[in-house]
Amino acid sequence: MFTLLSLQKPRIKTVSNGDSSVKDDGELQAAMHFLTRDPLFDSEKPYSMRYPPQGDLPQSNIKREKHLLEIHNMRQRLDDLKFEQCGFGMMNMDSDMSYDDFNDGSKITSVYLQEIGEAMKRTLNAKHVYVIDYAVRRRHSEFPISTGKNYKYDQPTAMAHIDFTCDEGRRMLQVLYGDDADKVIQGRWQIIKYLSTVYDIEIDTENSSLQPNSAWRPLRGPLNDWPLGLCDAQSVDFANDTMAGDIVFRDWATENMQVRYNPMQKWYYLPDHIPSEVLIFKSADSEGDGANGELEIFNQHYLRIRYALTSKVCPHAGFFNPQVRKHELPRESIDCRAFVLYADLDEYPPEVGNLFQGHM
């Protein structure tokens, strides 16, 4: 079953501090970080290096600011929100994976990614789905306060962003399919990200007549800790609220979209998120890409085309939930990113390129 999600008139408030509050109607106010509207970015592209650079080059030039948002309970609006308009939706999907299975990368790859790919293909009536990557996130009890050490697991991403630009998605398809890329790109393509929670499940040996390894059920949850905030694409002024940025690794780089705050943006979250509820949202969509192009000259060495996008992609970020109760466990979730392809091919070409090396 797939529930498509849409838009109502924005009712967003902002303050300059990080206070949060809860409202009686189930809505909440919570802080989120955005790219600052700074004159620096009139002449310099935002970047973040995922390793310490040599010399005097700063590891990142990103400046962020915190705003207090009114974040709406999407459960109260599931019938009104439309996926193609707002850029996000919810898909119900059961999995054969147990909680412990999410510690096993080979099982995630061989079972869960196959399940999610088939579900996405059916849900969106796509011809082919290629899962790009995945991340298992287990929030450290100290996060977002730094421990001074690297976390064992990925943590929630607390700054509003969009994972890829359309130009980056097109480049990735060319790398992935090599000489056959044009066959794939001739049809509509999307990059869809999806997220589901991961529960701790235990065996109830006292109240079950079955063998311990046969009867598993969630004893903890539903989860509300550090949920994902999703922004209605219809409320985003993409030409003014977003900006391409670089994420640089030692031997490759990728381009995402940084998001600036605008009081007209409308944000949603899913309270009491259970594992069978999979949030899906668009990170790139070739349909409507690049309308009303406008050339920007950053400096004599760098040119950029800024587009007023017509495709509905979804800014998103994790945020601290002021409604979370003391006894609730820290967030544990898995998110995946995938190409969803619509070209009407009898057979899709094999993947020949490595997306995560050699591009600088």
Side-chain angles (χ1 to χ4, degrees):
M1 175 183 178
F2 178 61
T3 306
L4 295 174
L5 303 177
S6 121
L7 170 72
Q8 295 180 356
K9 185 177 179 181
R11 294 188 298 113
I12 295 181
K13 303 176 182 178
T14 181
V15 297
S16 60
N17 59 38
D19 294 338
S20 58
S21 61
V22 180
K23 302 184 72 174
D24 292 339
D25 61 359
E27 314 292 75
L28 59 83
Q29 289 185 333
M32 192 176 291
H33 290 92
F34 296 82
L35 181 71
T36 302
R37 295 184 186 272
D38 191 287
L40 170 69
F41 302 122
D42 292 338
S43 60
E44 196 167 301
K45 188 179 183 182
Y47 73 87
S48 176
M49 303 178 73
R50 300 304 170 88
Y51 63 95
Q54 296 180 349
D56 297 330
L57 179 68
Q59 190 164 351
S60 175
N61 69 346
I62 290 176
K63 299 181 179 181
R64 66 180 193 171
E65 60 188 18
K66 184 162 58 175
H67 290 271
L68 190 66
L69 309 179
E70 185 168 335
I71 305 181
H72 304 276
N73 179 349
M74 76 170 66
R75 288 195 187 279
Q76 300 174 350
R77 298 170 173 83
L78 288 177
D79 293 334
D80 299 327
L81 295 164
K82 306 299 180 184
F83 178 75
E84 284 297 337
Q85 282 72 50
C86 71
F88 62 89
M90 186 183 76
M91 177 177 68
N92 290 331
M93 188 198 82
D94 292 321
S95 173
D96 290 333
M97 297 281 287
S98 70
Y99 173 79
D100 288 337
D101 287 341
F102 286 97
N103 291 315
D104 187 334
S106 62
K107 285 188 177 180
I108 293 175
T109 301
S110 63
V111 178
Y112 186 75
L113 299 190
Q114 299 302 314
E115 292 174 335
I116 204 81
E118 287 300 317
M120 292 289 294
K121 186 176 177 180
R122 291 192 303 270
T123 296
L124 297 177
N125 295 316
K127 294 293 184 179
H128 185 69
V129 172
Y130 175 80
V131 178
I132 300 168
D133 57 9
Y134 71 89
V136 174
R137 304 183 191 274
R138 303 180 191 270
R139 187 179 73 80
H140 191 280
S141 59
E142 297 296 322
F143 180 87
I145 299 173
S146 174
T147 63
K149 301 178 180 179
N150 291 331
Y151 294 111
K152 182 177 180 181
Y153 298 101
D154 286 341
Q155 300 299 297
T157 301
M159 186 170 176
H161 68 286
I162 301 166
D163 284 41
F164 300 104
T165 63
C166 279
D167 285 345
E168 177 68 0
R170 191 176 296 107
R171 181 200 69 79
M172 293 168 66
L173 284 171
Q174 290 169 340
V175 171
L176 187 64
Y177 290 108
D179 294 339
D180 291 320
D182 287 345
K183 299 177 184 177
V184 176
I185 295 174
Q186 71 180 351
R188 184 184 184 184
W189 57 268
Q190 301 168 320
I191 300 178
I192 303 292
K193 191 171 182 178
Y194 34 93
L195 177 143
S196 64
T197 60
V198 179
Y199 278 11
D200 192 354
I201 54 179
E202 298 176 353
I203 303 165
D204 188 347
T205 56
E206 295 182 359
N207 299 311
S208 174
S209 60
L210 303 175
Q211 294 297 317
N213 287 335
S214 301
W216 294 73
R217 62 183 178 91
L219 297 182
R220 302 173 184 174
L223 298 184
N224 291 289
D225 179 70
W226 275 85
L228 187 70
L230 299 164
C231 187
D232 189 327
Q234 297 172 111
S235 69
V236 180
D237 179 356
F238 283 96
N240 295 302
D241 294 352
T242 64
M243 182 177 186
D246 288 331
I247 301 175
V248 183
F249 297 84
R250 287 191 180 275
D251 58 355
W252 66 282
T254 187
E255 186 179 62
N256 71 355
M257 295 291 283
Q258 299 291 319
V259 179
R260 300 180 176 106
Y261 170 75
N262 186 325
M264 294 302 292
Q265 293 165 1
K266 189 163 186 177
W267 290 83
Y268 290 88
Y269 80 110
L270 185 67
D272 297 326
H273 193 168
I274 61 175
S276 62
E277 296 172 329
V278 179
L279 293 175
I280 66 171
F281 46 100
K282 289 195 281 185
S283 289
D285 191 338
S286 65
E287 188 170 279
D289 171 33
N292 303 320
E294 174 186 344
L295 180 65
E296 287 188 343
I297 301 177
F298 275 13
N299 55 51
Q300 61 180 336
H301 302 295
Y302 180 64
L303 300 178
R304 183 170 73 92
I305 300 294
R306 186 170 79 176
Y307 293 121
L309 299 177
T310 58
S311 58
K312 302 301 183 181
V313 294
C314 180
H316 56 279
F319 66 91
F320 170 75
N321 181 0
Q323 289 186 333
V324 71
R325 296 172 289 274
K326 291 183 178 180
H327 68 274
E328 294 190 72
L329 294 176
R331 168 178 158 182
E332 294 184 275
S333 63
I334 182 169
D335 51 78
C336 312
R337 303 183 294 190
F339 278 113
V340 178
L341 307 172
Y342 298 88
D344 190 13
L345 303 178
D346 292 335
E347 184 177 356
Y348 268 74
E351 297 85 21
V352 297
N354 188 331
L355 296 178
F356 303 110
Q357 69 179 24
H359 170 60
M360 293 294 292

